[in-house]
Structure formats: C-alpha cells, structure tokens
Amino acid sequence: MATILIIEDQPDVRENIEAILELEDYQTLTAADGVIGVQLAQQYLPDLILCDVMMPRLDGFGVLQTLREQPTTQSIPLIFLTAKADKEAVRQGMGLGADDYLVKPFTLNELLEAIKVRLTKHQALQSQHQEKLHQLHEKISRTLPHELLTPLNGILGLSEVAIAAYESFSPTEMLDLLKDIHQSGERLHHLIQQFLLFSQLQLLTENPERLKAWQQYRQETLETLPIIQTQAAAIATQYQRLDDLHLKLSPGELQITPDDWQTILGELLDNAFKFSEPGTPVTVTTQRLDSQFRLTLQDQGRGMTPQQIQAIGAYQQFDRPQQEQQGAGLGLAIAQKMTELYGGQCVIESTPQGTQLTLTWPLPPKSP
C-alpha cells in the first residue's frame, strides 16, 4: 500500500484529499506547512508527495528544492497543487524537479489519475534500478573475485616456492621468479586502481557540486601528442607489438590533466592490443577540427555486436568462456566516463573484423 504525504495549509482542502485517498486504500500523512512537510518526508520517506505551492514559512518551491538536495528524498515523486497556473510558475516548478502540476479546483478523477501515473512510473524506475543493481552484483560476483585472486595466488604461490627452495635456484632462475611475482603484483595493483578510479568517477556523476569542483580544478591546457606517442609506444612494447602500432597524429590541445589524458589513452590502447592478434595493425589518428579535437583508434580484433556495444559497462566482459581474458571489464567504461566528464563523446563502431573508437572533445577557449 502506497503512502502519500499531503502538504497543504488549507485545512478543508487537506482533509478532503486525505479522506479521498484513504477511501482509495492509500496510507496518508498530512502537514499544515512546508517545514512540517519536509520533516515528515525525511522521516517517513513516502511513496509520493502532494504539495501546495503558496504556503507560510516554506512554500512549495522551497519544499521541492530541499527534498531534491537530500539523497534519501530526491527521487520521491512530487505533484504540485495550486491555484497559480501561469507559465512562469509551471516552469519554475518543473525546473526544480516537480513531476506534475494540478490546478485547483481539480476533479477527483484528475487527482487519482495523476497519482496513479506518477506511482506507476516511479515503481517502474525503481524496478529498473533494482534490476541494474542485481546485474551489477552478478557481474562483480562473477568477475572481480577471479581477477583479484588470480594475481594474488600467483604472488603467494611463487613467493612460497622462492622461500622454500631459494638455495636450489640459480641467480638467473631466481630473477625470473621475482619477475613473475612482480608482474602478478602489477596486475593486482592495476585492477585495484581501476576499481577505485571507476568508483570515484561514479560518485562524481551523482554529486553535481563535487563534479563542478573536479572540472574547475582541471582547467589546464595540454598538448596531446607527446603523451600519445609515449603511451602508445609503451603499451605496444608491453605486448611485443611495436611493429603493429601505426600513428597518424596531428597536433592539438585539450583542457585536460596529463594524468587523466594518460589514463584514457592507456585504457583504450590496452584494450586494442589485448583483443587483437599480433601482426594486425592498431592505428591511432588525431585531427584538429574547427571546434573539436578528435582521436580515432582502430584495431582488427574480434569486434563486438551492437548488443554488446549497448551493454558496455563496468565489470562487463563478453564471451569470457570462449575468449579467456584478464581484467574486470573496467577499462573502456573508465575511458568513456572520463571523456564524458570532460565534455567529450565516445562513439564505438564494431564488426567481426575489428573495432573503431572515435572520441571528440571541445577545443580549449582561445586566449583573449
């Protein structure tokens, strides 16, 4: 049974709405002004709020703004009830996040239909949210433990061998063993860094004030080519595929920090080499357009279906049973998210013969 909070300063109107809703099997809470209404909303978290606009102490706009600023109440549907129906008031209410607007006097059917529509929509959104959480939990449960335990087991197992039989190893053999331990440690460290970075980016998208501060801090202008050249060569060398790397670079500047630019490039290049065969080209192209800087990265790997492209996200791996792969599926999600936070866009085109990623960012403003 849904609970509806009625915030209305006129007693007769408040009581009439309360009686109607109780006859329709809704549970009700009532408040005589906006201050009490906000307190009840925060305490009981109703399923929907009916709120008058013109009220003493705190009007309906103030109620809505206060509730939308609180994580626990920001998604509660709110319908304004008001005799003030001018376009400016409607725009103000909708701009603050109101879900609907009923003009007094309204009919019983209008009220019940508006409530039904908003509750149905809210329940559908809640179901989608829960399904996404369930899918994410499944992805993490399926992917993350394996990816964490594999390098950790390598570190523990190899170090145990080194400790138990170190006297029997030649210096060369011991060096090879230590290199394997170090490689497992680097893999584990990179995975933890990815997880922490993606979590940070997710938090930024959910907190406008924090996102604004993050963007203001990242106002420096960067020449893109040196990091592209260095990063591309390093990753190609790591995969022993330097001959497969093809650079077609034009100079261009971006408003981005060196660390973030290196992160975006690193994740994209690592994917391109990881999912394509030695002897096939990985091509990086940059272009400076009228108002944009464009980066294109193309490989001849196994590609993705349109459905797989649509499903790209954190902890998402495709055809893992058929295509064994390292990593938690975070790389492309991190690059996409970071690109978007800088005002850019990432477009993915893929066929069974390969994948092309096209990323564009606005050029920095010209100096006066």
Side-chain angles (χ1 to χ4, degrees):
M1 182 183 298
T3 298
I4 299 177
L5 170 61
I6 307 161
I7 309 175
E8 168 64 64
D9 65 322
Q10 297 182 37
D12 55 338
V13 175
R14 185 172 67 247
E15 291 167 6
N16 286 338
I17 294 175
E18 180 183 16
I20 290 169
L21 295 183
E22 288 181 349
L23 285 174
E24 295 293 326
D25 290 329
Y26 291 112
Q27 290 185 341
T28 59
L29 300 165
T30 61
D33 62 47
V35 174
I36 299 173
V38 168
Q39 293 171 349
L40 290 176
Q42 293 172 338
Q43 181 178 357
Y44 292 101
L45 302 178
D47 298 292
L48 182 139
I49 298 172
L50 300 173
C51 184
D52 189 21
V53 173
M54 305 303 292
M55 294 184 293
R57 297 212 290 170
L58 185 66
D59 65 13
F61 298 134
V63 170
L64 181 57
Q65 185 169 0
T66 302
L67 296 180
R68 291 298 183 254
E69 290 173 352
Q70 302 296 321
T72 55
T73 58
Q74 64 183 2
S75 63
I76 298 175
L78 186 145
I79 300 174
F80 274 136
L81 309 175
T82 182
K84 187 179 182 182
D86 60 87
K87 293 182 179 180
E88 183 179 348
V90 172
R91 281 199 301 269
Q92 184 179 357
M94 294 304 180
L96 288 171
D99 295 275
D100 206 345
Y101 227 99
L102 286 178
V103 179
K104 300 174 184 177
F106 45 80
T107 66
L108 172 62
N109 287 337
E110 287 174 337
L111 174 64
L112 295 178
E113 182 64 20
I115 291 173
K116 180 181 177 181
V117 168
R118 293 305 159 187
L119 284 176
T120 301
K121 181 178 179 181
H122 183 63
Q123 289 167 358
L125 290 174
Q126 289 291 96
S127 297
Q128 291 176 12
H129 181 65
Q130 291 299 322
E131 178 61 24
K132 287 181 179 179
L133 284 177
H134 176 69
Q135 292 175 0
L136 179 60
H137 180 266
E138 281 193 339
K139 291 174 186 176
I140 294 174
S141 299
R142 185 172 60 248
T143 303
L144 203 56
H146 170 80
E147 292 303 325
L148 288 172
L149 288 174
T150 298
L152 182 59
N153 286 337
I155 293 169
L156 294 175
L158 292 171
S159 59
E160 186 177 333
V161 170
I163 292 170
Y166 72 94
E167 293 180 343
S168 64
F169 286 105
S170 69
T172 301
E173 290 172 331
M174 180 57 72
L175 181 60
D176 289 339
L177 194 64
L178 292 174
K179 286 181 178 179
D180 289 339
I181 293 173
H182 182 71
Q183 185 177 19
S184 293
E186 284 188 326
R187 178 179 167 188
L188 182 59
H189 180 250
H190 180 63
L191 180 61
I192 293 172
Q193 283 185 313
Q194 280 188 319
F195 176 78
L196 293 175
L197 176 57
F198 185 78
S199 299
Q200 178 193 11
L201 297 176
Q202 284 290 90
L203 289 174
L204 284 173
T205 60
E206 297 166 5
N207 189 322
E209 291 185 4
R210 183 181 293 183
L211 175 58
K212 185 176 180 180
W214 184 88
Q215 291 171 331
Q216 287 177 343
Y217 175 72
R218 287 159 166 76
Q219 295 295 312
E220 62 182 289
T221 299
L222 176 74
E223 173 54 54
T224 59
L225 295 194
I227 292 180
I228 296 177
Q229 294 166 330
T230 303
Q231 188 84 332
I235 293 177
T237 300
Q238 176 186 333
Y239 282 89
Q240 299 181 349
R241 294 179 58 187
L242 194 56
D243 289 342
D244 293 339
L245 176 64
H246 300 272
L247 301 179
K248 301 177 181 179
L249 306 180
S250 299
E253 294 182 336
L254 281 182
Q255 213 163 48
I256 191 171
T257 67
D259 287 346
D260 289 346
W261 182 231
Q262 188 168 326
T263 295
I264 292 172
L265 293 171
E267 299 296 352
L268 297 180
L269 286 162
D270 186 71
N271 271 2
F273 282 104
K274 181 190 298 182
F275 298 116
S276 63
E277 294 296 325
T280 62
V282 172
T283 304
V284 182
T285 306
T286 61
Q287 296 172 285
R288 190 185 188 282
L289 308 176
D290 289 339
S291 60
Q292 293 179 326
F293 178 78
R294 176 182 294 169
L295 169 74
T296 305
L297 196 153
Q298 186 159 10
D299 64 59
Q300 293 183 8
R302 67 173 187 258
M304 293 179 285
T305 65
Q307 292 78 16
Q308 289 174 335
I309 293 175
Q310 188 68 28
I312 285 172
Y315 313 104
Q316 179 66 58
Q317 295 179 331
F318 303 118
D319 303 327
R320 181 169 184 128
Q322 294 78 29
Q323 303 283 348
E324 179 59 26
Q325 55 188 277
Q326 294 181 4
L330 284 166
L332 184 52
I334 287 172
Q336 280 186 307
K337 182 71 69 176
M338 191 169 284
T339 297
E340 291 166 1
L341 291 178
Y342 273 103
Q345 184 180 17
C346 177
V347 176
I348 303 172
E349 300 173 274
S350 191
T351 68
Q353 289 74 43
T355 298
Q356 176 175 297
L357 287 89
T358 303
L359 293 85
T360 55
W361 294 267
L363 292 174
K366 295 181 180 179
S367 302

